[in-house]
């Protein structure tokens, strides 16, 4: 893919990079973006960014990756052009003077001023010689040299002269400085990526600079920060899952007789109830049983699915959750209304009886579940099993699973491993999948697709 050349080359390369980063861009949307460029001022970079975003970005979750790639393919400047808005004497100024200048920018500045200063600081502090003729660029060395996070106290003293500390004025200043600090950090990171792209190629840095969108992050590789963001995705998914699993009344089935409406209508026929009216059938909330593998190999997946369990309490008549490694314990008690989800996870790890020897054993866990909690499964129950189906070469207890599935209204299995890895090593995916329909569920996108198939 060409890195330089015509605007068409840039456009094609940018759209290709978006697709590789997990941002879905159709051919029609790419053409829409190309047509949008015909009606905007191409020298106005922010207008170009807005035109691309309006035509190519369909969800807010895709915007951060889009902005990173846009800055790489359509940079604000290139090396060798002096930032006109940075004082020339700052190039040789002491770090103390640079910090004072940055403090002024954090108090109030335009994007152009902050970006120009960031570029100058990357030029001065961000370069490290790797080998003869080669150089590397780093953001952390710029931030370490200037330590902008330590400027707040001085800024508050300067700005709040004559104002009471701790009041609205201080809160306003803190918010403005923190927002500008974030802009400065982003500007430094953007310029570092631009310089690396000039040295190593846009496509190479693009592949490592953009994390997958939140809804495409693999559950088995999710970080604590990702989990915090995923919590916001849980409640909408829980509502949709509940709606799909709700026991639907047969088509044409009526609710109870609406006596009041029927009698009111009979007044038109001399008190003879020629037309009967019925109340709409009341939707029935189902019961849900979740059986979740909590072993270390799928701990991130278990964490997210237990967050989902926490949210599902409000959507079902009854939710019972069970966790297992090589034996099983009911963990519903950790997710009572009003409890803190993080505290619930901590208590779950410390107090639940899910481990005998520490090695995952699906067969023994299923047998123990059938012995201790057989009453949890009934004709109104939806059974949801969550795990990778890897049982350390232990007997699978398929007959037990078959019995549980036959007694439930619905049974589904969500597996966080990629399908090509099913049935490798100690995986019993196909054996279990022959009893309970098994779905690959590695990220929020696949979980959403599974929920949609239940319709």
């Amino acid at each position: 893919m060409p890195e330089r050349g015509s605007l068409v080359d840039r456009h094609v390369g940018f759209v290709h990079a978006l697709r590789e980063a997990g941002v879905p861009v159709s051919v029609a949307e790419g053409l829409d973006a190309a047509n949008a460029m015909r009606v905007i001022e191409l020298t106005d970079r922010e207008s170009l960014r807005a035109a691309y975003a309006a035509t190519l970005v369909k969800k807010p979750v895709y915007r951060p990756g889009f902005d990173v790639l846009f800055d790489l393919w359509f940079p604000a400047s290139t090396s060798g052009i002096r930032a006109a808005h940075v004082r020339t004497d700052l190039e040789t100024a002491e770090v103390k003077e640079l910090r004072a200048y940055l403090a002024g920018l954090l108090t109030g500045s335009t994007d152009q001023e902050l970006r120009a200063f960031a570029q100058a600081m990357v030029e001065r502090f961000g370069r490290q010689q790797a080998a003869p003729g080669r150089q590397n660029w780093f953001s952390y060395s710029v931030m370490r040299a200037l330590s902008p996070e330590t400027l707040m106290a001085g800024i508050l003293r300067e700005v709040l002269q004559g104002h009471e500390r701790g009041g609205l004025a201080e809160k306003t200043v803190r918010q403005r400085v923190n927002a500008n600090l974030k802009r400065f950090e982003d500007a430094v990171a953007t310029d570092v990526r631009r310089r690396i792209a000039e040295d190593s190629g846009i496509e190479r840095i693009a592949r490592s600079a953009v994390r997958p969108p939140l809804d495409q992050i693999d559950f088995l590789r999710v970080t604590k920060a990702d989990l915090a963001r995923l919590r916001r995705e849980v409640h909408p998914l829980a509502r949709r899952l509940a709606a799909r699993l709700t026991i639907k009344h047969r088509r044409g089935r009526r609710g109870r007789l609406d006596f009041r409406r029927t009698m009111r209508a009979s007044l038109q026929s001399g008190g003879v109830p020629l037309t009967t009216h019925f109340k709409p059938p009341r939707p029935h909330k189902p019961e849900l049983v979740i059986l979740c593998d909590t072993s270390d190999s799928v701990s991130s997946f278990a964490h997210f699915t237990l967050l989902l369990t926490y949210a599902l309490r409000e959507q079902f008549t009854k939710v019972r959750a069970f966790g297992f490694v090589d034996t099983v314990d009911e963990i519903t008690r950790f997710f009572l209304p009003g409890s803190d989800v993080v505290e619930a996870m901590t208590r779950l790890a410390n107090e639940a009886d899910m481990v005998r020897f520490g090695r995952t054993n699906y067969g023994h866990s299923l047998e123990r579940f059938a012995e201790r909690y057989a009453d949890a499964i009934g004709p109104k129950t939806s059974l949801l099993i969550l795990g990778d189906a890897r049982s350390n070469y232990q007997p699978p207890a398929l007959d037990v699973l078959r019995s549980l599935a036959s007694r439930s209204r619905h049974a589904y299995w969500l597996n966080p491993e990629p399908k090509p890895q099913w049935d490798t090593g100690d995986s019993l995916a196909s054996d279990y999948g022959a009893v309970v329909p098994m779905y690959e569920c590695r990220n929020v996108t696949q979980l959403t697709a599974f929920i949609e198939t239940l319709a």
Side-chain angles (χ1 to χ4, degrees), residues 297-356:
S297 63
V298 290
S299 59
S300 297
F301 177 59
H303 196 146
F304 178 77
T305 51
L306 291 175
L307 286 174
L308 181 64
T309 303
Y310 191 81
L312 285 170
R313 298 168 313 163
E314 304 169 3
Q315 310 297 328
F316 290 81
T317 302
K318 182 188 295 184
V319 174
R320 297 183 69 179
F322 301 86
F324 69 90
V325 176
D326 55 7
T327 190
V328 66
D329 189 18
E330 182 165 7
I331 57 177
T332 313
R333 62 188 184 276
F334 300 108
F335 299 95
L336 297 175
S339 60
D340 178 75
V341 64
V342 177
E343 180 183 345
M345 295 295 181
T346 303
R347 290 187 56 210
L348 170 68
N350 296 331
E351 301 176 24
D353 180 22
M354 300 177 293
V355 184
R356 295 181 309 160

Side-chain angles (χ1 to χ4, degrees), residues 14-15 18-19 22-26 28-30 32-33 48-70 213:
F14 178 50
V15 169
L18 286 172
R19 290 172 180 150
V23 179
V25 179
S26 68
E29 289 164 344
D32 288 342
L48 182 62
R49 184 196 299 269
Y52 268 121
T55 51
L56 303 182
V57 181
K58 293 179 279 294
K59 293 182 180 179
V61 71
Y62 299 143
R63 185 60 193 256
F66 165 86
D67 283 329
V68 169
L69 292 173
F70 180 87

Side-chain angles (χ1 to χ4, degrees), residues 407-452:
R407 299 208 317 266
S408 65
R409 181 174 181 84
H410 307 287
Y412 306 99
W413 189 310
L414 302 184
N415 190 328
E417 282 197 335
K419 269 192 175 181
Q421 295 181 17
W422 294 7
D423 298 326
T424 62
D426 61 342
S427 172
L428 297 169
S430 292
D431 293 336
Y432 284 129
V435 179
V436 174
M438 185 175 291
Y439 297 82
E440 180 182 317
C441 185
R442 296 169 51 210
N443 51 48
V444 171
T445 296
Q446 289 185 337
L447 178 58
T448 303
F450 160 72
I451 291 172
E452 293 301 325

Side-chain angles (χ1 to χ4, degrees), residues 85-309:
H85 297 275
V86 179
R87 288 170 17 204
T88 305
D89 58 339
L90 288 180
E91 296 178 359
T92 57
E94 298 290 336
V95 172
K96 183 178 180 180
E97 296 177 82
L98 295 175
R99 282 170 48 82
Y101 187 79
L102 176 57
L105 293 178
L106 296 178
T107 305
S109 62
T110 65
D111 282 339
Q112 193 173 14
E113 291 170 336
L114 207 58
R115 187 167 59 244
F117 182 73
Q119 291 172 355
M121 294 303 98
V122 171
E123 178 69 28
R124 179 165 176 180
F125 297 113
R127 188 201 324 254
Q128 291 188 13
Q129 202 70 27
R134 285 191 57 194
Q135 57 190 6
N136 291 332
W137 300 92
F138 298 96
S139 297
Y140 80 88
S141 56
V142 178
M143 307 308 292
R144 184 179 58 188
L146 297 176
S147 300
E149 68 281 357
T150 65
L151 295 173
M152 180 67 78
I155 292 174
L156 290 175
R157 282 196 306 271
E158 184 72 23
V159 175
L160 296 179
Q161 293 180 7
H163 292 81
E164 183 181 356
R165 294 295 298 269
L168 179 61
E170 179 177 341
K171 182 178 180 181
T172 302
V173 173
R174 284 184 179 275
Q175 289 177 340
R176 182 169 70 247
V177 171
N178 285 330
N180 286 336
L181 176 57
K182 179 64 167 58
R183 288 167 53 213
F184 176 69
E185 291 173 347
D186 290 344
V188 169
T190 297
D191 195 57
V192 166
R193 285 193 294 265
R194 175 183 64 81
R195 293 170 187 269
I196 295 175
E198 290 181 354
D199 293 343
S200 305
I202 296 176
E203 292 172 336
R204 180 178 176 183
I205 184 62
R207 283 191 288 270
S208 60
V210 181
R211 289 206 71 200
L214 184 64
D215 59 356
Q216 296 180 30
I217 294 177
D218 196 321
F219 285 137
L220 298 182
R221 293 172 176 80
V222 72
T223 65
K224 288 185 178 179
D226 294 328
L227 280 171
R229 294 161 59 206
L230 282 169
R231 287 176 192 166
R232 293 192 290 271
E233 303 287 327
V234 165
H235 285 280
L237 286 172
R239 287 193 294 270
R240 292 166 69 180
L241 179 58
R244 294 296 184 265
L245 293 178
T246 296
I247 301 173
K248 296 179 173 58
H249 290 266
R250 292 190 299 273
R251 184 172 297 178
R253 181 175 178 179
R254 295 171 173 174
R256 297 172 59 187
L257 176 69
D258 191 331
F259 183 77
R260 180 175 296 178
R261 288 184 62 199
T262 300
M263 293 306 297
R264 187 181 298 120
S266 71
L267 296 177
Q268 300 176 7
S269 55
V272 179
L274 298 178
T275 303
T276 53
H277 292 269
F278 296 87
K279 295 179 180 179
R282 302 176 72 180
H284 180 81
K285 283 188 174 182
E287 299 175 1
L288 178 67
V289 168
I290 295 181
L291 190 55
C292 183
D293 182 352
T294 58
S295 60
D296 290 341
S297 63
V298 290
S299 59
S300 297
F301 177 59
H303 196 146
F304 178 77
T305 51
L306 291 175
L307 286 174
L308 181 64
T309 303

